[in-house]
Amino acid sequence: MTATPTLQPILLDGRWQPASEPIDQFRAINPATAAVIEDRSYPVSGWSDLAALLQAGRRAAATMATLSSERIADFLDTYATCLEQRAGALVEAAHIETGLPRKPRLAQVELPRTTGQLRQAAAAVREGSWRRATIDSAANIRSWLAPLGGPVVVIGPNNFPFAFNGVAGGDMAAAIAAGNPVIAKAHPGHPHTSMLLAEAALEAIQATQMPPATVQMFFHTSPELGLRLVSDPDTAAVAFTGSRAAGLALKAAADQAGRPIYLELSSLNPIFVLAGALAERGSAIATELHGSCALGAGQFCTRPGLVVLPPGGPTLSFVAQLQSLTEAATPGTLFTPHSPLAVDAAVQRLRGAGAQVLAGGEMATEVTGFAYRPTLLQVSAERFLLHPQTLQTEAFAHVCLLVRCERDDEFERIAASLEGNLTGTIYSASDGSDDALCDRLATCLRPKVGRLLNDKMPTGVAVSAAMNHGGPYPSTGHPGFTAVGMPAAMTRFAALHCYDNVRQQRLPAALRDASPDGRMWRLIDGQWTRADVGQGGA
């Protein structure tokens, strides 16, 4: 007889505490084997837990608004170090709960990315220009970006157990760096991994003497209470990465209550391969495309799901090579029991709109875990333009739709018909033969995507200050913000504080005429200058 596993506690106000009135419980599943992980059970929190988290977060926000930039930066740096000290346990837990390989993905790519973005956030806090301190001496008006005054709720996805985790990922780092406490919702696909991350966060909180509720975490709640949480008056802002349906439901609730919410939802990341590029290096592009689609079983928000091709012989060879590669590919592990069903529903919708299956298009029944056979489809440009909405259905897996053009103008018409995307890519010939079409296409594509690429696959998202991991709706909820890259990602979680005719001694140090210790860029009477500023505030 199997013993009932212990119900794990939530992290509330600096302590691991039992959920007060859980409405249910769940266990994690190993997606590679489809086996339930029996040794732990996790609570589905009721409103009493969420209300307590919000109250503690509100208290922490008041304290964090008074802390020095150095204290907040020290926490972020210390947290990164604590994660590195737990690397072995974190990698093992994430591997079991997600099926992602230990190496290189988890140990050598994602965990270093996570600690790296925490340290980038710390550096941005110390440097200070993100606050945009602005002084109009003649009018005696001053302003800067400051914390929101309450907790930020961060809801992470299933596909990045470290780098986008609500407890440790880029949204969490950005919210803390902007001076706000975080209430993280663990993803039910990797709860133990999230718990280990939260343990490291608590150690860093204690080591740097941050408010106990700087980072809090619960495991799950009901959809109804999730909507209530994001719309609660004590919630300062929300960051969500996940499905379009769930994100839009949360957005509707938050918008109705006037709560800021930042969403990353879905993206096909179209790729346009022009005739000269295909003739010049079609085989290499096919290999690149296949590798990008196959990476992580296609469970990347920047995976190319739509490829537009010209007419002619090189296209036939390109399609044949890609078909062969797709047929030979091994089905990758998908994250949840629902994933193969959702992928199949998307593929059937594409087929219903006229797409032809060239490879795959069915469940991978021979695989023990959750999987769908790598899939390649094609459709004519004429058909695509008749059903553009349906043929932009996202399948979150190794699924790619080829669109076959007959004329150059169809490239531009397809680009004009696209929804908003995180990325858009154009492959063109190195000899300049594609330049005229490339320029026209880029003009059409530019307002449709957050990141425009030439001659490279979009899957990688560099953690760079210049990166935009965002885009027009429906790839995100707002085209003006990025989820990756410091300090730009931090501005989502800040309020613009303005001081009009306020006496010098009552101003934040950075906005005074005098120059105390510290350093920050300031815009004074229309000129950006590097000035000494005080250490008060976030």
Side-chain angles (χ1 to χ4, degrees):
M1 184 174 179
T2 304
T4 302
T6 302
L7 195 62
Q8 300 301 300
I10 63 173
L11 180 57
L12 170 60
D13 202 13
R15 293 181 296 166
W16 289 101
Q17 303 185 44
S20 62
E21 296 176 347
I23 56 179
D24 203 349
Q25 57 184 273
F26 69 96
R27 301 180 194 178
I29 299 175
N30 184 330
T33 63
V36 175
I37 300 172
E38 297 283 356
D39 58 342
R40 295 180 181 86
S41 188
Y42 303 91
V44 178
S45 286
W47 184 251
S48 58
D49 285 342
L50 304 184
L53 292 163
L54 286 168
Q55 291 167 10
R58 180 64 69 177
R59 292 192 298 270
T63 302
M64 287 181 70
T66 69
L67 296 180
S68 70
S69 298
E70 190 62 33
R71 175 81 67 84
I72 292 171
D74 281 349
F75 164 74
L76 292 165
D77 281 336
T78 301
Y79 187 20
T81 300
C82 290
L83 294 180
E84 289 168 341
Q85 292 170 345
R86 290 169 167 78
L90 285 168
V91 167
E92 187 62 24
H95 169 69
I96 292 171
E97 291 185 323
T98 68
L100 293 171
R102 298 177 181 88
K103 292 181 179 180
R105 167 67 190 266
L106 292 170
Q108 296 166 329
V109 178
E110 193 178 336
L111 189 56
R113 171 178 171 167
T114 306
T115 56
Q117 64 195 12
L118 286 165
R119 291 188 172 113
Q120 284 190 21
V125 173
R126 291 190 176 98
E127 191 271 344
S129 64
W130 78 273
R131 304 199 68 162
R132 301 176 188 167
T134 306
I135 298 174
D136 181 345
S137 299
N140 196 18
I141 298 174
R142 300 134 198 274
S143 65
W144 72 343
L145 294 175
L148 294 170
V152 174
V153 174
V154 181
I155 304 171
N158 58 10
N159 59 334
F160 279 86
F162 302 147
F164 279 85
N165 196 298
V167 195
D171 286 336
M172 174 271 182
I176 295 288
N180 309 282
V182 162
I183 297 172
K185 179 190 175 298
H187 194 282
H190 41 74
H192 183 52
T193 303
S194 299
M195 191 169 184
L196 294 177
L197 293 169
E199 287 175 353
L202 181 56
E203 181 181 341
I205 287 167
Q206 293 168 345
T208 55
Q209 298 183 325
M210 291 289 285
T214 296
V215 180
Q216 303 180 95
M217 188 197 72
F218 68 102
F219 290 101
H220 205 20
T221 192
S222 69
E224 296 77 17
L225 292 183
L227 298 177
R228 184 177 173 184
L229 174 64
V230 303
S231 59
D232 191 273
D234 281 336
T235 296
V238 181
F240 169 88
T241 304
S243 73
R244 187 187 302 191
L248 292 182
L250 293 170
K251 178 174 168 52
D255 286 350
Q256 187 173 18
R259 303 290 93 194
I261 184 167
Y262 302 96
L263 310 169
E264 185 193 320
L265 300 173
S266 63
S267 185
L268 280 182
N269 308 296
I271 292 179
F272 294 79
V273 186
L274 306 190
L278 209 56
E280 181 181 84
R281 58 190 193 281
S283 179
I285 296 172
T287 301
E288 289 176 33
L289 175 61
H290 174 74
S292 184
C293 290
L295 189 65
Q299 296 169 114
F300 279 75
C301 49
T302 50
R303 171 194 53 84
L306 182 72
V307 180
V308 186
L309 300 170
T315 294
L316 297 177
S317 299
F318 179 90
V319 172
Q321 180 181 348
L322 198 57
Q323 181 177 8
S324 177
L325 289 169
T326 307
E327 288 174 340
T330 302
T333 299
L334 303 180
F335 291 122
T336 72
H338 178 68
S339 295
L341 300 174
V343 174
D344 191 61
V347 169
Q348 298 313 317
R349 190 164 188 227
L350 294 171
R351 294 183 67 182
Q356 172 194 2
V357 174
L358 300 179
E362 60 187 8
M363 302 283 192
T365 54
E366 77 281 9
V367 176
T368 303
F370 311 134
Y372 195 85
R373 200 170 301 287
T375 298
L376 182 68
L377 306 98
Q378 73 172 3
V379 71
S380 69
E382 180 181 20
R383 187 75 180 179
F384 183 91
L385 291 167
L386 286 174
H387 304 283
Q389 185 173 7
T390 304
L391 288 167
Q392 290 180 74
T393 298
E394 182 189 37
F396 198 58
H398 183 170
V399 177
C400 186
L401 174 65
L402 307 179
V403 182
R404 304 276 295 271
C405 294
E406 292 298 327
R407 302 180 309 278
D408 282 355
D409 71 290
E410 289 178 327
F411 277 89
E412 296 166 77
R413 292 172 61 200
I414 289 169
S417 73
L418 294 175
E419 296 181 332
N421 281 272
L422 295 171
T423 74
T425 302
I426 304 172
Y427 275 82
S428 62
S430 60
D431 64 5
S433 59
D434 289 326
D435 283 1
L437 177 56
C438 181
D439 290 346
R440 296 197 307 272
L441 186 56
T443 298
C444 192
L445 192 59
R446 178 63 276 184
K448 299 280 188 176
V449 302
R451 178 166 50 117
L452 181 64
L453 299 93
N454 281 173
D455 304 313
K456 66 179 288 190
M457 292 296 158
T459 326
V461 181
V463 184
S464 161
M467 176 54 65
N468 179 20
H469 189 57
Y473 176 84
S475 61
T476 73
H478 194 298
F481 298 95
T482 177
V484 174
M486 306 294 176
M490 295 157 55
T491 61
R492 296 172 296 165
F493 307 116
L496 184 62
H497 287 189
C498 183
Y499 299 84
D500 190 341
N501 203 40
V502 174
R503 298 176 189 176
Q504 288 285 311
Q505 69 271 23
R506 295 174 182 169
L507 290 168
L511 298 181
R512 296 174 190 167
D513 292 337
S515 299
D517 294 336
R519 291 173 65 79
M520 180 180 289
W521 284 97
R522 298 197 292 176
L523 181 63
I524 303 176
D525 296 337
Q527 297 291 323
W528 283 103
T529 59
R530 185 73 164 174
D532 290 339
V533 298
Q535 295 295 303

